[in-house]
Amino acid sequence: MAEWLYEDGIGETRAALIADARIIAARIVRDDAGARLGAVHSAQLTEPGVVRLSDGTVATIARTPPGLTLGARLNVVVVREALPEPGRVKPPRVAATDEAPRPAPSLRETLDGPVRVLRAHEADALEAAGWSELLDEAVSGDIAFPGGMLRLTPTPAMTLFDVDGGGALDALADRAAAAVTAAIVRHDIGGSIGVDFPTIQGKEARQRVAAVIDATLPQPFERTAMNGFGFLQIVRPRPRASLPELLRADPVGAAARAALREIERTPPGAPNRYRLPPAVAARIDARPDWLAELVRRTGRTPILDG
């Protein structure tokens, strides 16, 4: 039976849904995530379609209550978190609500099904299931599947998958379709998704690839038919950034949080000096709250060489 592995890390919480000893879905929530999905904020309408939340965050709002004038206050619920894009961050999106202000549910509260909370002194169940490999996929974009390789590339317009491999093209496309849907779920990818399959001949073969997607990708989603050049588009809800977007937007921060996880898991009595890339050590040094929490959890102050 599938279960969620949940870890309350330093700088982020993380969770992975495990089935058959492998990760089939994953989520990361960082301590600097900003306006999070489901939170209700007091806000002020500053210009048409734009509000400023009580914490200073600027968000877009699609529809405002009738008669609301600039400067008026209202409560809003976050329906999409901020999305990192090259050179900018797309602001969060909110909707007007009659609900009272409240924080967003924690990552653990959003997990559906059995949850096992992991501790740093225990065997690393996340790593055993392939946590490092998952992060490597997100950062590099290289995702292997039997007989082929996917190349994942986030862009401002859509997330693109390019399919490469050998053998019969029809069979390669069928295997790639299953690999794409698994990667979409594993990396929490939403929004517009384009898949460049090999060009295959015949309507029946193209329909078979589409049927694989329909059978393996959880609803809700919409898709196009595969065109004669092998391109197919999928559209899913996009309430937050995918793992590739999250990790690529701040690679130094991702490396710093990973280093903190490794340090926290260092057995007692092991050397307390850690050699890190200078930028990573500087990021950790710049967060005294991270260091204080690390000392609280481990009972020792690490020496970071950068």
Side-chain angles (χ1 to χ4, degrees), residues 54-253:
S54 53
D55 63 0
T57 299
V58 174
T60 60
I61 181 169
R63 290 187 296 273
T64 55
L68 201 68
T69 58
L70 295 184
R73 301 203 67 84
L74 70 162
N75 286 353
V76 296
V77 59
V78 179
V79 295
R80 192 205 65 202
E81 297 178 2
L83 300 174
E85 294 182 346
R88 71 165 191 157
V89 175
K90 184 179 290 187
R93 181 179 298 157
V94 299
T97 182
D98 293 329
E99 298 179 79
R102 65 164 188 265
S106 68
L107 173 57
R108 185 177 179 185
E109 290 170 335
T110 66
L111 303 179
D112 183 18
V115 178
R116 176 155 55 106
V117 179
L118 305 182
R119 310 295 182 189
H121 65 273
E122 300 170 340
D124 196 344
L126 266 183
E127 191 62 32
W131 185 253
S132 289
E133 290 80 0
L134 172 78
L135 301 186
D136 286 343
E137 281 185 350
V139 172
S140 70
D142 295 330
I143 302 173
F145 67 93
M149 177 74 72
L150 302 178
R151 178 69 176 179
L152 182 161
T153 306
T155 77
M158 65 173 59
T159 299
L160 294 173
F161 285 93
D162 182 61
V163 177
D164 190 21
L169 295 184
D170 290 10
L172 173 63
D174 288 347
R175 296 194 305 273
V180 165
T181 59
I184 288 171
V185 175
R186 189 164 63 250
H187 289 282
D188 199 24
I189 299 171
S192 185
I193 303 163
V195 189
D196 188 16
F197 289 99
T199 302
I200 55 179
Q201 302 300 318
K203 183 177 180 181
E204 182 179 347
R206 293 195 293 270
Q207 288 178 334
R208 188 172 59 247
V209 173
V212 172
I213 291 173
D214 292 342
T216 55
L217 185 61
Q219 287 289 350
F221 72 91
E222 297 179 2
R223 65 160 179 82
T224 65
M226 181 191 291
N227 66 24
F229 300 101
F231 190 80
L232 181 147
Q233 186 174 357
I234 300 167
V235 179
R236 304 181 76 221
R238 192 188 186 192
R240 56 187 165 262
S242 66
L243 287 183
E245 291 172 314
L246 193 65
L247 296 177
R248 296 180 189 204
D250 183 15
V252 174

